[in-house]
Amino acid sequence: MKQKASILISLALLSLLAACGDDFSKKTDAELGLNEQQARGRRVYHVHCAACHAAYTTSSSKGPSMKGLYGRQYLPSGLLANDHFVEQSFVRGRRMMPALGNSMSQQDVGDVIAYLHTL
């Protein structure tokens, strides 16, 4: 009987801890404090990038996570972590990442870069 109670208490604590964690992917643009451009970038990111690159966690399914991208000195490719090289990666592709220059407008690229600065 004590073992069952102990298991139930452990499960309850785990669910409380899980509920306390911020799941940023479920928050609205307003809750994240995104301006209009960043919010557009978030939508474009979800269409073109999110399948391979996680935004709010450090783990990712295929490509590297984008969380804290601009807090690093270098991109995962080894290039400097700046807008110029991030844009090049979108437009031309890099290694396994396909070039998105034909499927993203210049506005889309700028919006995604603005959004990436918030991660």
Side-chain angles (χ1 to χ4, degrees), residues 24 48 54 89 100 109:
F24 292 101
H48 292 284
S89 297
L100 299 171
V109 172

Side-chain angles (χ1 to χ4, degrees), residues 3-4 6-7 9-10 17-19 39 51 65 87 96-97:
Q3 187 176 14
K4 284 183 183 180
S6 169
I7 291 171
I9 290 171
S10 296
L17 287 173
S65 169
E87 180 176 347
M96 294 183 69
M97 182 173 158

Side-chain angles (χ1 to χ4, degrees), residues 10-29:
S10 296
L11 289 173
L13 285 173
L14 283 174
S15 37
L16 280 174
L17 287 173
C20 291
D22 283 333
D23 187 357
F24 292 101
S25 64
K26 293 181 181 175
K27 290 190 174 194
T28 66
D29 296 339

Side-chain angles (χ1 to χ4, degrees), residues 45 48-67 69 72 75-77 90 94-98 116:
Y45 182 89
H48 292 284
C49 312
C52 296
H53 301 282
Y56 299 107
T57 65
T58 54
S59 63
S60 205
S61 60
K62 296 179 185 175
S65 169
M66 296 294 105
K67 182 178 180 178
L69 179 71
R72 305 176 201 153
L75 299 172
S77 64
F90 287 154
R94 184 157 317 279
R95 296 185 185 148
M96 294 183 69
M97 182 173 158
L116 291 175

Side-chain angles (χ1 to χ4, degrees), residues 37-38 40-42 106-115:
Q37 181 184 26
Q38 294 161 342
R40 283 191 312 265
R42 184 180 188 203
Q106 188 61 41
Q107 165 110 29
D108 289 342
V109 172
D111 292 348
V112 171
I113 288 172
Y115 170 62

Side-chain angles (χ1 to χ4, degrees), residues 32-50:
L32 293 171
L34 302 180
N35 65 31
E36 198 174 313
Q37 181 184 26
Q38 294 161 342
R40 283 191 312 265
R42 184 180 188 203
R43 288 188 293 278
V44 174
Y45 182 89
H46 284 289
V47 171
H48 292 284
C49 312

